[in-house]
């Protein structure tokens, strides 16, 4: 693999609970991933990011970590991780491990000691504070991203502890040097085991404003509970120093290890401060998933990202977001649009992050209330449906009841499209993803990062990437003809053609041309 492989890597996110279950308990596991790696090879991705597989009471399905250097028995053990890593490396796939440094589980030994002995040094690793009104009210008015207050009372001491997410996820105090030292050890543990990189959860949240004062209660972009637009809570000036420190650690290992931050801020000028040769290698660019269907909006988003990052990442879906087929209107139309946008992103410089199941064209699943499991659902009393609908298991076979995912009872029900989108039916979307990734691979090395926009009708997005790849996305309801000379390399819908310097692009589809 070339050095700085991550710069144009296609990374596939595995939400471990829902990828493949090897032991029939209804929950996916490391061995299930290992035995389904060939799907990723056939798809043509470069790396997999596996969501947390640490011991966890599962208040937030693994994003509440009770021990950062071990494996949850439901998911396997350290030997299973080693086997997965070796098998992935044998196939030329890199493996990215998910780190959760903003908070631990309330079952982590540090927190348990902090509660059991308020005078212990562990107490200082968290944000315990006296409440207001003689302790009856939380120390400030902060709310949890999952809904409800961001503070819970420790009944034994009467103090309150901060949790930006669930009460089972107490926030660490990154102003304490012990926390930094402990985390250096955690990084080294996984780097020594051979991990190729880290995805860093809530990377923009590690520090909170020192005063922990009340927030102004103004409407937040993204709605109540949103991750964005909270100047006291996110993106404090000190936070990037953590990643400078971590970069010295990853750079001290051979093998081109990398870090990608979940920096959930929509202002790319702020996000880009997290990325660079002396800090994170990449940050998720969440602007695309928020961009509505339409050429002008997509172009503006893409241009902004290309200006800010060298080069950007592209995120259309993940385990926290409504599946993009559904966001784009659902059904065949949603699938068509989803494919069209994905093809445009795959033609651009940078690193696309794919989410398991999007290559099958899966829609958001309608999970009935009695099967919902997401803390967001519970903490908002069902007002926010939560993220279960994008996390339902992967259907490997059209035949049920376990669809090749499990021999037992799946932890979440399958979506209504499980039979029609199953891997063994080779849905049209899967064929399209395989083609896109294979053509992209064949062009690797021959393309540069410069992008030139082509003048076209308003509903069309068209650009030429340095090296002669022309990409035309038609967001109109009708087919369009665009002046562009070249041979068609790929089309996401039937009916595309090119002749005499004119390419016909069907409605809601993308065409790639190689300039002659
Ligand atoms: C972001 C993760 O992607 C999400 O699933 C999780 O609930 C929060 N961080 C808290 O860890």
């Amino acid at each position: 693999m070339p050095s700085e492989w991550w710069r144009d890597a296609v990374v596939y996110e595995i939400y471990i609970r829902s990828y493949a279950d090897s032991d029939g308990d209804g929950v996916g596991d490391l061995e299930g991933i290992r035995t389904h790696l060939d799907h990723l090879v056939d798809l043509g991705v470069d790396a997999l990011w596996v969501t947390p597989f640490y011991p966890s009471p599962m208040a937030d399905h693994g994003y509440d970590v009770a021990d950062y250097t071990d494996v949850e028995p439901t998911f396997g053990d350290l030997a299973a991780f080693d086997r997965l890593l070796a098998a992935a490396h044998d196939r030329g796939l890199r493996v990215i491990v998910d780190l959760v440094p903003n908070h631990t589980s309330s079952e982590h030994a540090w927190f348990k000691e902090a509660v059991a002995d308020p005078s212990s040094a562990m107490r200082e690793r968290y944000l315990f504070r006296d409440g207001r009104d003689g302790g009856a009210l939380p120390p400030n008015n902060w709310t949890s991203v999952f809904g409800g207050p961001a503070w819970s009372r420790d009944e034994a001491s009467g103090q309150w502890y901060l949790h930006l997410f669930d009460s089972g996820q107490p926030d660490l105090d990154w102003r304490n040097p012990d926390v930094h030292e402990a985390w250096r050890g955690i990084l080294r543990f996984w780097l020594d085991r051979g991990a190729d990189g880290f995805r860093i959860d809530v990377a923009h949240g590690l520090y909170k404003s020192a005063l922990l004062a009340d927030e102004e209660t103004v409407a937040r972009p993204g709605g109540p509970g949103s991750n964005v637009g909270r100047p006291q809570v996110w993106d404090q000036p000190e936070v990037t120093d953590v990643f400078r420190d971590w970069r010295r650690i990853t750079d001290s290992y051979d093998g081109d290890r990398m870090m990608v931050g979940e920096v959930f801020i929509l202002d790319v000028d702020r996000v880009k401060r997290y990325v660079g040769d002396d800090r994170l290698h990449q940050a998720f660019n969440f602007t695309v998933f928020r961009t509505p269907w339409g050429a002008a909006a997509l172009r503006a988003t893409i241009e902004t990202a290309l200006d800010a990052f060298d080069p950007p990442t592209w995120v259309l879906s993940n385990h926290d977001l409504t599946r993009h087929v559904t966001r784009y209107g659902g059904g065949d139309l949603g699938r068509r649009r989803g494919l069209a946008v994905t093809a445009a992103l795959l033609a651009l410089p940078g690193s696309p992050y794919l989410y398991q199941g999007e290559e099958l064209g899966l829609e958001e699943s309608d999970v009935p209330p009695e099967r919902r499991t997401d803390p967001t659902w519970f903490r908002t009393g069902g007002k926010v449906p939560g993220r279960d609908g994008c996390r339902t298991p992967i259907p490997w076979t059209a035949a049920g009841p376990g669809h090749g995912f499990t021999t037992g009872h799946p932890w979440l029900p399958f979506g209504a499209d499980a039979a029609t989108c199953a891997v063994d039916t080779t849905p049209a979307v899967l064929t399209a993803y395989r083609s896109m990734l294979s053509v992209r691979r064949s062009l690797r090395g021959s393309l540069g990062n410069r992008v030139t926009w082509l003048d076209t009708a308003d509903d069309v997005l068209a650009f030429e990437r340095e090296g002669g790849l022309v990409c035309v996305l038609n967001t109109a309801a009708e087919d369009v003809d665009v002046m562009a000379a070249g041979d068609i390399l790929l089309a996401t819908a039937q009916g595309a053609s090119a002749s005499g310097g004119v390419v016909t692009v069907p409605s809601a589809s993308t065409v790639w041309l190689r300039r002659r």
Side-chain angles (χ1 to χ4, degrees):
M1 280 244 190
S3 76
E4 302 203 320
W5 59 275
W6 39 271
R7 281 194 188 277
D8 70 346
V10 179
V11 183
Y12 182 96
E13 179 192 353
I14 293 193
Y15 189 72
I16 186 168
R17 296 179 64 84
S18 292
Y19 188 68
D21 168 23
S22 72
D23 58 6
D25 64 1
V27 177
D29 47 45
L30 292 169
E31 186 65 6
I33 302 174
R34 186 182 72 78
T35 52
H36 289 76
L37 282 176
D38 288 341
H39 174 63
L40 305 184
V41 174
D42 295 345
L43 189 58
V45 302
D46 302 297
L48 46 142
W49 144 35
V50 187
T51 56
F53 45 79
Y54 312 99
S56 165
M58 302 288 160
D60 187 20
H61 300 321
Y63 281 97
D64 47 323
V65 180
D67 181 350
Y68 292 99
T69 55
D70 206 345
V71 170
E72 162 66 33
T74 315
F75 298 139
D77 53 20
L78 284 169
F81 172 79
D82 294 341
R83 282 196 301 276
L84 167 62
L85 191 66
H89 286 171
D90 281 350
R91 289 163 176 76
L93 295 166
R94 313 255 184 173
V95 178
I96 297 174
V97 169
D98 209 324
L99 295 181
V100 189
N102 180 67
H103 44 265
T104 69
S105 161
S106 51
E107 293 297 310
H108 194 288
W110 303 345
F111 191 75
K112 288 210 276 196
E113 189 174 335
V115 170
D117 178 4
S119 64
S120 80
M122 291 303 162
R123 188 86 169 181
E124 305 304 318
R125 293 194 179 189
Y126 295 90
L127 290 151
F128 283 90
R129 293 290 183 275
D130 293 333
R132 294 201 276 212
D133 273 7
L137 292 177
N140 69 23
N141 68 350
W142 293 13
T143 52
S144 150
V145 173
F146 291 164
W151 297 90
S152 287
R153 207 166 121 103
D154 159 32
E155 292 306 331
S157 67
Q159 281 199 309
W160 297 72
Y161 66 90
L162 180 74
H163 53 85
L164 292 180
F165 296 89
D166 190 69
S167 55
Q169 294 168 294
D171 278 52
L172 286 165
D173 183 359
W174 278 87
R175 295 181 191 277
N176 178 348
D178 290 354
V179 171
H180 291 249
E181 194 47 35
W183 270 91
R184 290 184 193 110
I186 294 164
L187 259 71
R188 289 200 187 94
F189 178 87
W190 293 104
L191 292 167
D192 287 341
R193 277 204 118 77
D196 297 293
F198 298 119
R199 178 266 186 191
I200 298 156
D201 191 60
V202 199
H204 58 307
L206 307 190
Y207 281 80
K208 286 67 181 168
S209 67
L211 291 176
L212 296 177
D214 274 353
E215 281 184 283
E216 280 183 52
T217 45
V218 289
R220 291 181 193 132
S226 161
N227 261 10
V228 292
R230 303 180 69 178
Q232 291 212 67
V233 178
W234 309 119
D235 194 28
Q236 302 302 302
E238 299 88 346
V239 70
T240 48
D241 288 341
V242 175
F243 305 124
R244 279 183 236 273
D245 182 39
W246 288 11
R247 182 62 177 260
R248 284 189 285 274
I249 297 175
T250 55
D251 279 354
S252 71
Y253 283 76
D254 59 12
D256 237 346
R257 318 296 177 100
M258 58 78 80
M259 296 179 283
V260 55
E262 187 212 21
V263 184
F264 204 107
I265 309 172
L266 296 177
D267 176 352
V268 290
D269 288 329
R270 297 197 71 87
V271 177
K272 76 180 187 196
R273 296 176 305 112
Y274 288 72
V275 179
D277 291 343
D278 61 349
R279 49 203 101 169
L280 297 180
H281 302 72
Q282 294 181 330
F284 289 141
N285 162 27
F286 285 118
T287 57
V288 196
F289 98 84
R290 293 184 58 102
T291 306
W293 171 252
L298 280 166
R299 173 169 170 175
T301 297
I302 292 169
E303 275 188 299
T304 308
L306 288 172
D307 284 349
F309 300 102
D310 176 31
T313 64
W314 306 106
V315 179
L316 206 50
S317 280
N318 72 20
H319 68 283
D320 294 326
L321 311 173
T322 304
R323 282 197 176 274
H324 64 242
V325 170
T326 303
R327 296 201 315 266
Y328 286 139
D332 286 343
L333 177 69
R335 270 188 272 276
R336 244 181 118 99
R337 289 175 169 177
L339 260 186
V341 175
T342 303
L345 300 180
L346 287 169
L348 287 163
S351 172
Y353 277 75
L354 311 180
Y355 175 49
Q356 71 182 30
E358 68 168 78
E359 79 280 19
L360 307 176
L362 291 186
E363 297 197 54
E364 186 80 356
S365 304
D366 195 5
V367 179
E370 66 278 10
R371 296 286 307 264
R372 293 253 168 206
T373 69
D374 186 357
T376 323
W377 164 265
F378 295 110
R379 289 185 61 92
T380 61
K383 284 203 197 79
V384 177
R387 303 161 294 177
D388 293 313
C390 66
R391 297 175 173 178
T392 53
I394 292 297
W396 293 95
T397 63
H403 291 289
F405 164 74
T406 185
T407 54
H409 180 67
W411 73 286
L412 279 177
F414 289 92
D417 49 5
T420 47
C421 292
V423 177
D424 72 347
T425 66
T426 323
V429 176
L430 179 57
T431 305
Y433 267 70
R434 286 178 179 156
S435 309
M436 293 189 291
L437 293 180
S438 141
V439 175
R440 182 185 156 102
R441 225 165 234 246
S442 71
L443 297 174
R444 191 169 261 171
S446 69
L447 300 177
N449 281 0
R450 202 152 24 84
V451 168
T452 313
W453 296 91
L454 309 180
D455 270 341
T456 48
D458 287 351
D459 285 337
V460 176
L461 175 107
F463 59 85
E464 177 165 346
R465 179 160 166 203
E466 183 182 4
L469 174 64
V470 176
C471 174
V472 185
L473 190 178
N474 174 15
T475 64
E478 312 80 37
D479 300 359
V480 291
D481 289 338
V482 174
M483 303 286 291
D487 301 318
I488 292 187
L489 285 174
L490 180 131
T492 64
Q494 305 269 315
S497 62
S499 77
V502 175
V503 54
T504 301
V505 185
S507 162
S509 78
T510 291
V511 170
W512 290 357
L513 304 163
R514 186 84 206 218
R515 187 176 280 292
R516 273 193 218 109

